[in-house]
Amino acid sequence: MSGPDQPPDEFGQIARLFRPLARGAPEALDLLDDAAVIPQRPGFDLVVTKDAVVEGVHFPKGERPELIARKLLRVNLSDLAAKAAEPWGYFLAVSWPPAAGWPARQAFASGLATDGEAYGLTLLGGDTTSTPGPLTASVTMLGWVPAGAMVRRSGARPGDKLMVSGPIGDGWLGLRAALGELDDPDGYLAGRYRLPEPRVDLRQALLDHASAAADVSDGLIADAGHIAEASGVGLRMDLDLAPLSDAARAWLDRQPDRAAARLRLASGGDDYQVVCTAPAADAHALGLTVIGEVTAEPGLAVVAGGERIDPGPGGWRHA
Ligand code: ADP
Ligand code: MG
């Protein structure tokens, strides 16, 4: 079997799709060896994170392959961003279903090329297989931080301010818009869901000032809660202070129950902002929106619509 839509064999695929993405990095050995080799970098720690996506679970069947690839890099970049690590490289495992022809695979690789270049990433290795199931792709991403300086979830202290780096709720609204359940005239919300912007720009500010940080992938309340749990502290947070995009503000203005709507925005995932804590003296320098503070007594005290509300179990756990 052959033809323009027919993929070459595994080694041909690696050579044509993936070798250019290694961009000549010596560690990748041109993707010709059994493994990559990473020399120690004196004075730095290697920060490692992993995220996988499955067709039909993390993106709808029929999503453009470029976008699947770019979002896969971006969700991993968001984890590095929250840890104040400088993005460096990644490993990629991909399982192609029969329906993924050569043009689709090339489109996937071109998405990796676009964002790999934009974010300074080198492809260091990976694995390529076929599957009778849905398309599955997984990235292990590596970044560098000065030794001992990774910003953890566990560093929040009573009296610290709680801050968030940007609009909350666009991920959840964007998913609904992408599913056609929500009016999105200019496509802004669906765009935020399909191609988030990881906050790699915050790296130096987080290194200099943050006591703890997490990226907002599970939802603001859940991810702030993860910081509280890891730090053995509590949080007071006012959801009315969380920044909103114009589109989210317009949606909120149409909701009869403001508190419930605010809670909804803060419980949805996929925002890929950073939630962090910092001593009061550092909060201003971070330049982020203060939404609350860290308390000695454990638990979450949440205000929305001007009233104390019960955030419910959805605020704490994976769905
Ligand atoms: P193995 O013989 O151990 O199975 P492979 O044949 O899977 O090794 O891979 C050969 C080389 O190609 C390795 O350097 C591997 O890292 C690289 N490689 C395979 N698939 C990918 C991929 N999807 N992305 C990047 N590199 C890959
Ligand atoms: Mg081998």
Side-chain angles (χ1 to χ4, degrees):
M1 233 181 0
S2 72
D5 286 3
Q6 206 54 42
D9 71 10
E10 186 192 330
F11 298 103
Q13 288 185 44
I14 294 166
R16 290 170 61 188
L17 296 179
F18 299 133
R19 184 165 304 132
L21 307 178
R23 308 201 299 164
E27 298 86 355
L29 305 169
D30 288 329
L31 306 183
L32 288 170
D33 212 313
D34 296 302
V37 60
I38 301 173
Q40 290 192 26
R41 186 169 163 191
F44 288 83
D45 290 336
L46 195 55
V47 178
V48 185
T49 186
K50 184 174 190 70
D51 260 305
V53 291
V54 178
E55 181 177 26
V57 179
H58 300 95
F59 57 89
K61 224 171 146 59
E63 178 62 292
R64 287 171 48 200
E66 295 95 311
L67 287 182
I68 300 167
R70 294 176 73 189
K71 184 165 180 183
L72 177 59
L73 291 184
R74 287 171 183 231
V75 298
N76 279 278
L77 282 160
S78 181
D79 281 316
L80 290 186
K83 303 298 97 186
E86 184 179 7
W88 174 53
Y90 64 102
F91 292 82
L92 168 74
V94 58
S95 299
W96 303 114
W102 183 236
R105 297 181 196 198
Q106 287 177 306
F108 184 87
S110 90
L112 296 175
T114 300
D115 278 353
E117 225 153 276
Y119 291 96
L121 294 167
T122 290
L123 180 58
L124 295 164
D127 201 18
T128 305
T129 62
S130 300
T131 175
L135 189 144
T136 305
S138 141
V139 157
T140 302
M141 195 170 280
L142 312 180
W144 297 103
V145 289
M150 189 186 90
V151 180
R152 302 177 185 218
R153 290 181 173 183
S154 56
R157 294 295 168 259
D160 284 358
K161 298 295 183 190
L162 177 69
M163 284 158 288
V164 68
S165 64
I168 290 303
D170 285 358
W172 179 73
L173 292 170
L175 170 60
R176 291 190 50 207
L179 294 173
E181 297 172 7
L182 187 71
D183 204 30
D184 185 27
D186 58 1
Y188 168 85
L189 288 169
R192 298 292 304 156
Y193 171 73
R194 294 167 93 195
L195 206 55
E197 286 178 22
R199 297 304 308 269
V200 291
D201 57 305
L202 298 175
R203 181 166 56 94
Q204 196 58 50
L206 290 171
L207 278 178
D208 290 347
H209 302 292
S211 52
D215 79 323
V216 183
S217 52
D218 293 336
L220 175 62
I221 296 173
D223 289 309
H226 293 147
I227 290 178
E229 261 180 300
S231 300
V233 296
L235 295 173
R236 220 177 1 247
M237 58 197 296
D238 184 345
L239 300 183
D240 298 329
L241 299 176
L244 298 181
S245 66
D246 290 346
R249 168 75 57 193
W251 175 85
L252 183 68
D253 287 343
R254 295 196 300 271
Q255 305 309 307
D257 182 343
R258 306 281 283 198
R262 278 285 187 180
L263 179 59
R264 198 45 266 186
L265 295 179
S267 305
D270 281 325
D271 285 323
Y272 302 107
Q273 294 293 335
V274 170
V275 57
C276 66
T277 60
D282 289 79
H284 186 72
L286 259 165
L288 308 180
T289 305
V290 175
I291 58 167
E293 60 247 321
V294 179
T295 58
E297 58 291 356
L300 282 189
V302 179
V303 168
E307 292 166 31
R308 178 74 189 268
I309 59 158
D310 177 0
W316 282 102
R317 261 180 262 283
H318 273 271

